[in-house]
Amino acid sequence: YLPGVVRGEMPAAFHQQALDAQAVAERTFIYYHMASGRKAAHPDADVCMDYRCCNAYTSAQAAAEKWGDHAAEYEAKVQQAVRDTDGQVILYNGQPILAAFHSSSAGVTANSGDVWVSTLPYLHSVESPEGEDTVPNYYSVKEIPAAEFQQTFLAAYPEASFAGGPETWITGRVESICIGGVTVEGTQVRSLFGLRSACFTAEAAADRVTFRVTGFGHGVGMSQYGANRLAQDGKSWQEILHWYYTGVTIAPYGG
């Protein structure tokens, strides 16, 4: 199972140490949910991590078709990541952590409490070294017709008012943005309009609303492209995990 989720979650072209870090995060995520008695659910809500019905799982055959001429090389790297880290889990106070990860950050990762209900002591904001030179589609733009924008937002927040001109529709910061007089979190806007991340700017014009977005994912925990950059700079998989998860230890978990 573990090679399957590593295949599905991180590009196999990445540095071996980044793939090793991903393997430990995936293993830890499984142990976290086993220890807590919860159904496994990936931290990025639209991906399931339940080993009984896992959308993140990619079979070796499917991966080989996708990888083409690199199939043997990439499969060897994935299997090596699992072997390199055999039994290793990320622990906080002796217990497996919620090993959240995402694709890429906008220079820093997010505090867990700024994205989710709970603030976890090991998921603090840290600097992340990826950027537009290493991440495809690091910057993205999404334009939404003004009428569609109003309709979508009013369906979720009927108390909003769009009586004024478009320049009055959107005010505030991403963490707490005001649309139509209603204050909503940036993560809610991301979900509502299908943005690549909650790190964005928004501008309303007469005929459209334009979002300019940086990065991809919820922003909490390990940035995968950041991990790859750290690995390229000579960091080990252990150093990468300590970079993104505060105050943790890495060791086998006895249950």
Side-chain angles (χ1 to χ4, degrees), residues 13-234:
F14 275 15
H15 194 284
Q16 186 66 55
Q17 295 300 307
L19 287 164
D20 288 5
Q22 183 72 30
V24 179
E26 299 282 9
R27 183 184 295 109
T28 302
F29 201 77
I30 296 167
Y31 274 102
Y32 170 83
H33 286 282
M34 290 174 61
S36 63
R38 302 173 185 173
K39 180 180 178 182
H42 189 282
D44 216 350
D46 54 358
V47 181
C48 172
M49 281 290 290
D50 188 336
Y51 60 85
R52 293 163 294 185
C53 59
C54 182
N55 295 328
Y57 183 93
T58 301
S59 70
Q61 180 179 353
E65 293 173 358
K66 178 179 69 174
W67 292 335
D69 294 342
H70 293 283
E73 173 196 352
Y74 288 172
E75 180 63 19
K77 290 175 67 177
V78 169
Q79 296 293 339
Q80 184 66 45
V82 176
R83 288 195 301 271
D84 286 347
T85 64
D86 186 30
Q88 298 299 300
V89 178
I90 313 167
L91 306 173
Y92 187 85
N93 288 340
Q95 295 299 311
I97 71 167
L98 174 58
F101 56 87
H102 58 283
S103 179
S104 60
S105 296
V108 294
T109 65
N111 286 308
S112 55
D114 293 336
V115 178
W116 301 322
V117 174
S118 300
T119 298
L120 299 174
Y122 47 81
L123 291 177
H124 288 297
S125 175
V126 300
E127 292 184 2
S128 195
E130 71 273 34
E132 60 180 321
D133 58 331
T134 57
V135 183
N137 301 314
Y138 186 63
Y139 297 114
S140 59
V141 176
K142 183 166 188 177
E143 293 186 340
I144 303 172
E148 179 184 335
F149 177 84
Q150 291 184 52
Q151 182 179 11
T152 300
F153 194 79
L154 285 169
Y157 301 95
E159 68 272 28
S161 171
F162 293 92
E167 69 278 359
T168 68
W169 289 358
I170 302 172
T171 59
R173 301 175 59 189
V174 175
E175 292 87 350
S176 180
I177 192 168
C178 185
I179 300 177
V182 179
T183 299
V184 294
E185 296 179 0
T187 52
Q188 294 172 304
V189 176
R190 178 201 173 201
S191 176
L192 195 60
F193 294 105
L195 307 181
R196 286 172 60 84
S197 86
C199 182
F200 61 83
T201 62
E203 180 182 354
D207 59 342
R208 66 176 58 85
V209 173
T210 302
F211 292 100
R212 291 179 172 83
V213 186
T214 304
F216 185 25
H218 51 64
V220 179
M222 184 177 71
S223 163
Q224 294 174 312
Y225 274 91
N228 192 48
R229 181 62 179 268
L230 290 171
Q232 291 169 342
D233 290 343

